[in-house]
Amino acid sequence: MKYLDVRLSQPDRMLHPMQRFIREGDAVRYEELRAWNIAAPADGLEYELFYAEADRDAYVDAIEAVDSVRWYDLTPIDDGSFYVYICQETRPEDVRWRRAFAALNLVVVPPVVYDAEAAFEMTVVGAGEDLRAMLDGLPDAIDVTVRAIGEYDRRHAPVSGELTERQLEAVAAAVDVGYYEIPREGGVSAVADELDCAPSTAATLLQKAQARVMRRLVRRRGRSSARAQSGNEPFSDE
């Protein structure tokens, strides 16, 4: 069973009005789709649960202006965050790009995270050939960035999904020897002894693991910088 971490960025003409609200303004600091249910095709409705960190008044004004939204229920958490349960009509624009998932034995693992450009990142699980078919079936207008692909292991998701097995081993060894304790109980040499490798190799593994996790955290919080978006080094065993 394979997983695919992918970022999809739609052109302006394909954006849902709430995605356009994210892309064109700064009222939304973070948003993720937590769960969804698409009704029978004949009904043409879908139900979605979002978590958002945003200017609530601006968000409400935006959602009330969306013609496809039948109704919504907003539940505040605190001054800056809330849940939104939405019933809306399925738009033809969404039907077209979702066809890439149709008839494929794939599962989207929530949450689906939206960044500051209204692009969304998600994890899709299934057979390798189905994942490839999904990517091939997406419209050319959608910009696709594959973040990670490999054997699915929920124990390492979502934060460490971009780490190689060797990097995970290095981080686990670092925890075991007290590398992350304050004050530090074991240094790079102790990690290297656990991994049976040179200290320079252990240091490189830890640095790459930490860089990938930090970039992923930044992206998932909707605060992607140019470095965070493009800074991933090619995948290797290190």
Side-chain angles (χ1 to χ4, degrees):
M1 179 173 53
K2 300 289 187 180
Y3 81 95
L4 172 71
D5 280 355
V6 64
R7 177 182 185 268
L8 303 179
S9 180
Q10 299 163 285
D12 287 345
R13 62 181 172 79
M14 294 179 65
L15 291 180
H16 186 280
M18 291 305 291
Q19 287 176 279
R20 187 170 292 109
F21 172 64
I22 294 173
R23 180 174 289 183
E24 296 178 352
D26 57 4
V28 179
R29 297 180 297 278
Y30 178 78
E31 184 170 59
E32 64 182 25
L33 176 59
R34 305 293 296 271
W36 58 89
N37 181 29
I38 299 177
D43 295 335
L45 296 176
E46 51 193 69
Y47 302 84
E48 293 136 346
L49 175 65
F50 289 89
Y51 166 74
E53 297 173 5
D55 181 318
R56 192 187 310 163
D57 292 338
Y59 194 98
V60 167
D61 289 343
I63 201 169
E64 289 186 347
V66 178
D67 293 337
S68 62
V69 173
R70 291 280 188 89
W71 52 261
Y72 71 93
D73 182 10
L74 188 149
T75 301
I77 300 172
D78 52 35
D79 290 341
S81 61
F82 47 87
Y83 291 106
V84 189
Y85 182 42
I86 298 173
C87 171
Q88 66 175 330
E89 301 168 7
T90 300
R91 305 180 314 138
E93 298 92 329
D94 294 328
V95 171
R96 284 192 286 272
W97 75 262
R98 288 173 183 172
R99 285 175 183 158
F101 295 84
L104 297 174
N105 299 317
L106 298 174
V107 174
V108 178
V109 181
V112 176
V113 179
Y114 294 84
D115 66 20
E117 296 300 318
F120 51 97
E121 295 189 16
M122 60 183 178
T123 299
V124 187
V125 172
E129 57 268 25
D130 288 332
L131 292 172
R132 286 190 293 271
M134 180 204 77
L135 292 174
D136 292 340
L138 288 168
D140 292 338
I142 295 180
D143 181 63
V144 180
T145 303
V146 174
R147 298 293 192 191
I149 188 168
E151 291 295 329
Y152 183 71
D153 187 346
R154 184 62 185 177
R155 295 173 303 166
H156 302 150
V159 173
S160 63
E162 294 184 359
L163 270 61
T164 67
E165 287 300 318
R166 190 60 170 163
Q167 289 167 359
L168 284 168
E169 290 175 6
V171 171
V175 171
D176 288 343
V177 303
Y179 181 83
Y180 295 112
E181 295 298 321
I182 303 174
R184 181 168 290 171
E185 296 174 359
V188 171
S189 295
V191 176
D193 290 342
E194 290 287 314
L195 298 175
D196 192 23
C197 68
S200 60
T201 300
T204 298
L205 287 167
L206 291 175
Q207 289 168 0
K208 287 186 175 183
Q210 292 160 12
R212 284 179 173 173
V213 169
M214 292 304 104
R215 279 196 296 266
R216 188 175 178 88
L217 281 174
V218 169
R219 288 201 306 270
R220 292 189 70 83
R221 297 304 296 175
R223 295 175 174 85
S224 299
S225 64
R227 183 180 295 273
Q229 289 293 344
S230 62
N232 288 352
E233 70 276 10
F235 284 97
S236 67
D237 291 336
E238 289 189 349

